[in-house]
Amino acid sequence: MKKIFVTKPYLPPKEELSYYYDKIYNSGVLTNDGPLAKELSAKLQKICEVQHFNYVTNGTIALQLALRVLGITSGEVITTPFTYVATISSILWEHCVPVFVDIEPDNFTIDAKKIEEAITEETKAIMPVHVFGYACDVDSISSIAKENNLYVIYDAAHTFGARYKGKALCSYGDISTLSFHATKLFHTIEGGACLTNDDALSFKLEWMRRFGHCGDNHMMLGLNAKQDEFNAAMGLANLAHIDFIIQSRKQAFNRYIDNLGNKYKRPKVQDDLEYNYAYFPILFDSESELEQAMNNFITHDIYPRRYFYPSCNELQYLKKKSKCKISEDISRRILCLPLWSGMSNSIIDMV
Ligand SMILES: Cc1ncc(COP(=O)(O)O)c(C=O)c1O
């Protein structure tokens, strides 16, 4: 029997990918914002309901660019400990200090009620994460940011296809970032984006992600975060199947719910959220119960993942340690079960 991993990247029919590869062979353009990257960006900009969509090489560089373009190269950034390490490493990589605010016990996103007490003279921005595709308290976060003159950068890596309060979940904040990594429900193998409704920010992002120069005019410090045509081809071929991808995940998700009933606590889907079925996390009563389950899974060649463990405030290379009791507790007890589009009922039932 084949190994069952936490996810299985969607692969479009080969001939549909070939259709785009033929275009690359005809144009001879491989990168530097070629026609396929432009076509994909235009389509994604509409789906994400933002004015500007800056397509980049991955979701980590998208976070780093977001900080850079806002001029945040020192000081403190308030964030959540319950996330993939890339949220935190991006803050550190840009020479800022992550300040952790504990999470809501119900949906595992940053607890907006605790943000204000973490604000200091050094605070520059809030970087919350719509973890697993569940929405942060965007209204409270927006008013705290306004009152305290702070930027909001949402790490929206898990949100593709999710809508909240009538608009795309990835459209909130000064900047939202996406990841199109192969593990994500919509992917371009590797890829990401910075989304914004601010013209001036988008102008800067556009140039920053391609070395900061236009011809011989060197306008600003930049780096190389351009996406190439082969990744864009994968994105275009996948995008044609996005409804199937989400619907099929929804079916698998609901079958897990039918099978498990109320046996495990799970994050709450907010009333105003159209969920994208990005992950299927379950909470065990204790870490030892989780470890026992992991061992059982492995003997059956099933490999769920401990998303997200450890709680990022416990990363050993952080200079300043802080406690986040809820996140630490949940991180020790949470496991994401395998979930992908096209997953058969027999595999779901076996898991
Ligand atoms: C919450 C979160 N932020 C950022 C990233 C980084 O994205 P990428 O892998 O595209 O660099 C990921 C995942 O990989 C993620 O899960």
Side-chain angles (χ1 to χ4, degrees):
M1 198 188 68
K2 272 192 176 169
K3 290 183 175 179
I4 297 170
F5 294 108
V6 70
T7 193
K8 188 170 166 184
Y10 181 79
L11 280 170
K14 252 190 197 165
E15 59 283 6
E16 294 179 24
L17 197 55
S18 298
Y19 166 80
Y20 289 108
Y21 284 178
D22 286 347
K23 286 192 170 200
I24 297 173
Y25 275 76
N26 287 334
S27 73
V29 178
L30 300 185
T31 185
N32 286 3
D33 298 315
L36 297 185
K38 284 203 174 97
E39 185 181 335
L40 180 63
S41 298
K43 287 184 171 163
L44 293 176
Q45 180 245 328
K46 283 211 177 80
I47 293 172
C48 296
E49 300 175 272
V50 283
Q51 274 164 35
H52 304 286
F53 178 95
N54 300 90
Y55 186 29
V56 297
T57 40
N58 59 63
T60 306
I61 207 74
L63 287 166
Q64 289 176 228
L65 275 169
L67 287 165
R68 274 291 168 127
V69 79
L70 292 167
I72 303 172
T73 52
S74 66
E76 296 175 355
V77 177
I78 291 177
T79 190
T80 170
F82 190 70
T83 182
Y84 182 58
V85 68
T87 316
I88 311 311
S89 63
S90 306
I91 295 171
L92 291 166
W93 205 266
E94 294 303 323
H95 306 288
C96 297
V97 178
V99 172
F100 296 100
V101 166
D102 212 345
I103 56 172
E104 296 260 7
D106 282 346
N107 72 0
F108 311 158
T109 59
I110 193 167
D111 189 340
K113 297 185 291 306
K114 296 181 181 160
I115 290 178
E116 265 183 315
E117 64 203 49
I119 296 174
T120 71
E121 301 256 291
E122 292 299 312
T123 310
K124 302 285 171 53
I126 309 171
M127 191 186 274
V129 180
H130 302 296
V131 71
F132 300 140
Y134 297 108
C136 296
D137 182 351
V138 290
D139 293 334
S140 302
I141 291 170
S142 165
S143 45
I144 295 166
K146 271 200 193 107
E147 270 167 36
N148 294 279
N149 211 13
L150 300 173
Y151 292 114
V152 181
I153 302 167
Y154 279 109
D155 182 340
H158 302 166
T159 68
F160 193 83
R163 303 187 88 248
Y164 186 53
K165 298 192 174 187
K167 59 181 198 168
L169 182 53
C170 59
S171 66
Y172 291 90
D174 294 294
I175 299 178
S176 265
T177 63
L178 285 170
S179 164
F180 304 135
H181 182 257
T183 51
K184 302 295 184 288
L185 70 84
F186 167 72
H187 76 89
T188 63
I189 310 172
E190 292 276 358
C194 286
L195 316 181
T196 182
N197 290 314
D198 184 305
D199 297 348
L201 281 182
S202 175
F203 177 82
K204 272 195 185 171
L205 277 168
E206 267 309 307
W207 293 111
M208 251 185 197
R209 71 179 185 90
R210 39 183 153 140
F211 303 108
H213 75 102
C214 177
D216 292 338
N217 180 12
H218 290 259
M219 295 180 276
M220 63 190 80
L221 177 68
L223 45 65
N224 182 5
K226 289 178 273 98
Q227 189 55 289
D228 69 67
E229 290 290 273
F230 282 89
N231 290 66
M234 178 62 89
L236 284 163
N238 280 341
L239 196 56
H241 298 276
I242 193 66
D243 291 341
F244 162 77
I245 291 171
I246 294 178
Q247 279 312 309
S248 164
R249 295 176 81 101
K250 180 177 178 181
Q251 269 174 19
F253 186 101
N254 286 336
R255 194 168 178 99
Y256 273 135
I257 301 263
D258 289 345
N259 282 344
L260 295 173
N262 294 325
K263 191 165 162 52
Y264 298 100
K265 191 183 166 206
R266 300 195 1 82
K268 240 202 205 135
V269 179
Q270 292 98 336
D271 290 341
D272 299 334
L273 180 71
E274 278 173 52
Y275 191 48
N276 62 359
Y277 306 93
Y279 295 85
F280 194 87
I282 57 171
L283 261 189
F284 288 87
D285 286 338
S286 65
E287 188 172 20
S288 62
E289 210 181 282
L290 176 146
E291 282 165 349
Q292 216 175 3
M294 266 310 256
N295 290 338
N296 282 339
F297 276 125
I298 290 165
T299 57
H300 291 86
D301 260 345
I302 300 171
Y303 299 87
R305 284 287 299 271
R306 295 187 72 173
Y307 289 149
F308 289 99
Y309 175 80
S311 178
C312 286
N313 59 303
E314 296 190 302
L315 288 169
Q316 46 126 355
Y317 49 79
L318 288 173
K319 288 207 179 97
K320 200 173 146 203
K321 302 283 179 230
S322 59
K323 290 298 289 174
C324 292
K325 273 194 187 153
I326 300 172
S327 176
E328 288 164 31
D329 172 48
I330 285 170
S331 285
R332 289 196 182 98
R333 297 190 288 122
I334 199 162
L335 197 62
C336 279
L337 299 188
L339 180 66
W340 62 83
S341 47
M343 197 175 178
S344 69
N345 285 344
S346 60
I347 290 184
I348 298 163
D349 295 349
M350 183 174 66
V351 172

